[in-house]
Amino acid sequence: MTRLTTHLALGSDADAAAALRRQVFVDEMGACERAEADGFDAGAEHLVLRDAARPGVAVGTLRMACGAGYTGREFDLGPLEDDGRALAEIGRICLHPDYRGGLAAGLLLGAAVDRLRSRGAGMVVGTGSFPGADPARHMPAMRALLDAGRAPAALRPKARGPHGVTIEGTGRRADMRFVPALLKAYLRAGAWVGEEAWIDRDMDTVDVCLMLDLTRLRLPAQRSMAEGAR
């Protein structure tokens, strides 16, 4: 049995997940704590990733919800709504530094997708973040990400308001090294990427819109990875 398991975050799990989020988003990435723990938490379910070798500690977490309220603040999801499939959302996904770049992100995403699919979702959306609210700094990496996973034209959301930025130019494969590991995990799962980004100064990030069509997922086989998931 794998030592990594996912659980709905209740009781002590919820406290551990909140502590990891503060560590990653506030302490590490410089987000405003008031913005990180926002009003969307109450209406969402939360998953926590545990490692049997580290009792009492969350090594990963995310939140998930039917609908797409948080992503819809930043991006106009009209093209996806017009597509007719039920939308769901994954957000606030974060991993302890020791678990980045491996199977942990796939395990978390897989467990969340399984739960959302059981609730009728056909398309999962979310925002993928580059740390630091400077779009010029991240433009080479965003171009590379977009070239690797550009969404079909009919499904591309537009960024809302003056915080929106168009990702312009041709990407270089070499610049994928600047793309955060979590965004690469989404790509490996088959995610599409929108052509515009959104500057989130409260979270100190530049966000892109990620879309997972649940008919084309490429997540790792979950049976051995997700033993103990619930």
Side-chain angles (χ1 to χ4, degrees):
M1 177 182 288
T2 178
R3 69 182 191 178
L4 295 177
T5 56
T6 58
H7 308 270
L8 282 177
L10 304 171
S12 62
D13 279 335
D15 294 339
L20 179 63
R21 279 175 47 170
R22 285 193 299 273
Q23 174 188 331
V24 172
F25 291 117
V26 178
D27 299 339
E28 180 180 336
M29 296 176 62
C32 169
E33 188 164 4
R34 171 188 52 79
E36 193 286 310
D38 62 21
F40 292 96
D41 281 329
E45 291 186 315
H46 303 260
L47 280 182
V48 64
L49 183 68
R50 294 282 200 179
D51 185 339
R54 293 185 172 184
V57 176
V59 299
T61 187
L62 59 74
R63 73 182 180 194
M64 55 191 173
C66 295
Y70 184 89
T71 307
R73 294 188 324 158
E74 300 184 6
F75 296 94
D76 179 359
L77 302 177
L80 295 171
E81 293 167 346
D82 292 344
D83 185 60
R85 283 174 284 186
L87 291 182
E89 181 175 64
I90 292 174
R92 290 295 193 268
I93 181 169
C94 59
L95 296 168
H96 184 283
D98 293 347
Y99 295 80
R100 297 172 190 170
L103 292 175
L107 173 55
L108 264 178
L109 283 172
V113 163
D114 285 348
R115 189 162 183 86
L116 292 171
R117 183 188 278 124
S118 74
R119 297 189 168 200
M123 180 79 73
V124 175
V125 300
T127 59
S129 299
F130 290 82
D134 179 0
R137 168 187 161 197
H138 300 303
M139 193 59 67
M142 291 193 294
R143 289 178 187 136
L145 180 68
L146 182 60
D147 281 2
R150 191 185 307 266
L155 298 178
R156 293 173 196 163
K158 297 289 186 181
R160 293 188 183 276
H163 295 290
V165 177
T166 301
I167 303 172
E168 298 177 329
T170 302
R172 300 189 311 155
R173 187 176 180 84
D175 288 330
M176 283 296 293
R177 69 187 186 276
F178 301 120
V179 174
L182 279 174
L183 273 66
K184 293 177 184 176
Y186 269 97
L187 277 188
R188 288 193 296 271
W192 287 317
V193 184
E195 287 187 321
E196 296 188 358
W198 199 84
I199 303 168
D200 187 341
R201 301 206 181 277
D202 285 338
M203 292 294 289
D204 194 28
T205 59
V206 177
D207 298 340
V208 294
C209 188
L210 300 169
M211 295 149 270
L212 276 170
D213 178 344
L214 299 192
T215 66
R216 65 186 296 271
L217 284 179
R218 298 196 299 265
L219 286 166
Q222 293 297 309
R223 188 176 67 165
S224 62
M225 292 177 62
E227 288 178 5
R230 61 176 186 270

